[in-house]
Amino acid sequence: MRLNELKAHELLPLIRRHEVTVEEAVTETLDRIAALDGTIQAYITVAREHALQRAKEADARLAKGEPPRPLEGLSIAIKDNICTKGIRTTGASRYLEDFIPPYDATVIERLEDAGAIVVGKTNMDEFAMGSSTENSAMFSTRNPWNLNRVPGGSSGGSAACVIANEAVFALGSDTGGSIRQPASFCGIVGLKPSYGLVSRYGLIGYASSMDQIGPMTRDVRDCALILNVIAGNDPRDSQSYPGELPDYAGCLVPEISGLTIGVPKEFLEEGLSGPVRDAFMKALDRLEELGARVVEVSLPHVRHALAAYYVISSAEAGSNLARLDGVRYGYRAPGQEDSASMMAASRGEGLGPEVKRRIVLGTYVLSAENREKYFNEALRVRSLISRDFQEVFKTCDCLVGPTSPTVAFEAGEKTRDPLEMYLSDVYTVPPNLAGIPGISVPCGFDEEGMPVGLQIMGKQYDEATLLRIAYAFEQATDFHRRRPEVPQKTYQSESAGGERSV
Ligand code: GLN
């Protein structure tokens, strides 16, 4: 097995025991990217020089006898809406094509302090709006299991690079499913933490009342290791959770007998594809065999979740993106006579069609005559959905359902119909509206070899129980061990969207 194929918890002991240098480990990942990313197109920017420099510094530190840090020498890929000081951060938008942040997001500071090394920035739907990574202004990412399919979105580049061994793990962001849905489409583990558990400082905001950064990993143990480092209070994020946190990796016992697991009946209604239903039903059997009690529950208002989500998220997106005005940073349209036409032209030329659609929708639902009818109504639905969850969590330790109604779809299949695309988030948006955590873990494959994800939803700030259940399920199955075989092609031969190094 090559170093870049190892999980974080497998590679760490080799580095700690000095059996492998950090430079060797990072170089294997960078070589894998060079060999494969012309095909997968997961990265917008590969930070090769930066990563090798950091690797040498880490080796020098270890050679001096300094103790290894918790994530020493692990190559990490970062979704391109998370600011990295000195490394281009585009949000996959033409608008920020040349933006180099002057500061690091809190999660980057924490990961680097823990010894992780950023190897690159991954492709996504522009400003995280989308479910297939086809809304990227740069290029589309391919699903490593089948190159004609999408990797999901919006954190599609992060999911694809983790399953293709082009990074040990990655960070994504999730506002309505953008970590969990691509994790499910690519057969990896993706956690959307409780709202406020992980600092959003340095994340390019989409819908700030729902945005969360989270880990995308090859297994649950890695997910817990990363969460240990990135979770925790940050005074620079006003919504940051101030409470004490457990050692998440320490909570991983494969033991769930006696726990009660609820299955919302609304998650199994029309729209759910046959292969996903089959895999999900088998997953339920497995959870029962492990000693859990599986019960049907109801979340009566959840059928309005998608509508409420798109109203609220578009309203918030419209306000967040007002800062892109052509004045302070990012794209400025040339040759305009006054500031109003400069702003209009900069936005007109710099933003893609989906982003514009959301801004227009957001402005519409917040306008004086529509605010009550749409925005305030959506907020009421949101409260009812939160209450539904609180009610079922009185009797259930967690809830389970499919992560997405289908497996990864064909590239181009849904690009012409935004509503079709929005439907792929139907099971992932309710946890964002309620602020609770959700994790997707691999739970099967369809007949064509495409992965299926199981979504487990937990009580707010109870990631420990969520991870424990995910771990028990994973240990009782072997879906997380499978890897796709990807034909190799170097990116020199087909450049995926311009400059790819810093
Ligand atoms: N697909 C959803 C949207 O387009 C979710 C995106 C996300 O979680 N960032 O809004």
Side-chain angles (χ1 to χ4, degrees):
M1 207 178 221
R2 304 190 66 91
L3 295 176
N4 63 303
E5 296 169 18
L6 298 178
K7 298 176 186 109
H9 62 86
E10 295 166 339
L11 182 55
L12 279 169
L14 301 182
I15 290 175
R16 285 189 189 134
R17 293 197 301 259
H18 300 272
E19 286 170 31
V20 161
T21 66
V22 173
E23 191 175 350
E24 282 165 349
V26 168
T27 302
E28 287 217 10
T29 297
L30 290 169
D31 289 350
R32 175 76 173 172
I33 297 172
L36 208 70
D37 212 49
T39 305
I40 304 294
Q41 308 193 146
Y43 285 91
I44 292 177
T45 301
V46 180
R48 191 180 171 92
E49 294 314 314
H50 164 95
L52 288 173
Q53 177 64 31
R54 288 294 164 99
K56 289 197 179 93
E57 287 164 16
D59 282 330
R61 195 190 242 133
L62 293 172
K64 272 195 282 172
E66 284 188 28
R69 295 165 294 174
L71 304 178
E72 192 72 64
L74 301 181
S75 302
I76 169 171
I78 306 290
K79 186 176 182 180
D80 212 18
N81 59 350
I82 299 173
C83 286
T84 40
K85 186 175 177 179
I87 303 177
R88 189 167 71 122
T89 298
T90 69
S93 179
R94 289 279 163 236
Y95 209 100
L96 294 181
E97 205 170 358
D98 303 314
F99 176 61
I100 299 184
Y103 69 100
D104 275 321
T106 298
V107 287
I108 302 296
E109 281 179 5
R110 288 185 177 226
L111 287 166
E112 289 189 337
D113 287 349
I117 293 178
V118 176
V119 291
K121 304 298 295 286
T122 55
N123 199 20
M124 52 184 279
D125 291 293
E126 184 174 4
F127 292 131
M129 297 172 191
S131 310
S132 68
T133 313
E134 292 165 295
N135 293 340
S136 166
M138 310 303 179
F139 44 82
S140 293
T141 297
R142 293 168 171 174
N143 191 312
W145 293 95
N146 178 337
L147 300 177
N148 297 321
R149 309 261 183 130
V150 301
S154 61
S155 316
S158 288
C161 76
V162 168
I163 194 65
N165 297 327
E166 294 182 78
V168 179
F169 67 96
L171 288 188
S173 71
D174 190 314
T175 306
S178 281
I179 289 175
R180 290 158 289 158
Q181 185 255 25
S184 135
F185 279 16
C186 290
I188 63 165
V189 174
L191 169 71
K192 182 208 85 82
S194 303
Y195 183 68
L197 190 74
V198 174
S199 168
R200 298 162 305 155
Y201 179 75
L203 171 70
I204 299 174
Y206 162 18
S208 303
S209 75
M210 293 180 277
D211 294 339
Q212 265 296 285
I213 295 172
M216 303 179 75
T217 58
R218 298 193 196 120
D219 71 5
V220 176
R221 181 167 293 284
D222 277 9
C223 184
L225 285 174
I226 312 310
L227 191 64
N228 270 347
V229 170
I230 62 173
N233 189 248
D234 178 11
R236 293 177 294 187
D237 178 346
S238 62
Q239 301 296 309
S240 180
Y241 177 64
E244 284 290 305
L245 301 177
D247 167 11
Y248 294 108
C251 302
L252 298 181
V253 283
E255 170 57 62
I256 56 168
S257 61
L259 293 188
T260 302
I261 297 181
V263 181
K265 67 178 194 314
E266 292 78 9
F267 279 40
L268 299 176
E269 290 173 355
E270 53 162 334
L272 179 60
S273 76
V276 174
R277 177 186 290 272
D278 292 347
F280 175 68
M281 289 304 174
K282 290 201 187 107
L284 287 184
D285 292 343
R286 192 50 65 94
L287 289 166
E288 274 184 325
E289 284 159 25
L290 288 167
R293 203 166 66 90
V294 175
V295 297
E296 185 184 280
V297 297
S298 174
L299 301 168
H301 299 93
V302 89
R303 53 176 57 102
H304 305 298
L306 205 59
Y309 168 80
Y310 275 95
V311 169
I312 295 169
S313 64
S314 300
E316 294 186 18
S319 327
N320 265 327
L321 297 184
R323 70 174 70 120
L324 302 180
D325 54 9
V327 176
R328 284 161 290 188
Y329 53 86
Y331 180 72
R332 179 182 296 181
Q336 302 299 317
E337 284 181 356
D338 53 52
S339 55
S341 20
M342 185 281 287
M343 284 182 199
S346 300
R347 290 165 75 79
E349 293 165 22
L351 301 175
E354 183 62 28
V355 174
K356 288 180 188 160
R357 185 177 296 122
R358 308 279 180 111
I359 293 174
V360 170
L361 178 61
T363 310
Y364 180 80
V365 300
L366 284 179
S367 62
E369 59 276 42
N370 293 314
R371 193 185 178 103
E372 180 56 32
K373 193 155 104 204
Y374 296 114
F375 186 66
N376 292 349
E377 184 70 3
L379 293 182
R380 282 190 283 273
V381 168
R382 181 179 193 171
S383 307
L384 292 169
I385 289 172
S386 295
R387 233 185 282 161
D388 284 355
F389 276 113
Q390 279 162 17
E391 204 49 46
V392 294
F393 281 132
K394 285 182 184 156
T395 52
C396 296
D397 297 288
C398 77
L399 304 179
V400 295
T403 304
S404 187
T406 65
V407 296
F409 43 87
E410 297 276 326
E413 194 182 317
K414 297 186 198 269
T415 40
R416 252 171 275 122
D417 185 348
L419 268 186
E420 267 284 305
M421 191 74 90
Y422 298 171
L423 278 172
S424 82
D425 307 322
V426 64
Y427 307 135
T428 47
V429 300
N432 298 78
L433 287 166
I436 63 171
I439 189 170
S440 181
V441 289
C443 77
F445 287 84
D446 75 357
E447 279 177 358
E448 289 168 303
M450 297 309 291
V452 180
L454 171 73
Q455 182 179 210
I456 313 173
M457 294 158 275
K459 296 179 188 167
Q460 195 167 34
Y461 305 123
D462 191 11
E463 272 73 2
T465 304
L466 191 70
L467 288 164
R468 182 173 137 208
I469 296 166
Y471 182 67
F473 178 77
E474 177 189 85
Q475 293 304 300
T477 57
D478 66 356
F479 307 116
H480 64 291
R481 288 186 226 285
R482 287 202 220 167
R483 291 288 171 278
E485 282 199 15
V486 188
Q488 298 204 354
K489 181 165 74 170
T490 55
Y491 64 65
Q492 279 86 354
S493 60
E494 187 195 305
S495 173
E499 157 212 356
R500 286 155 67 78
S501 58
V502 289

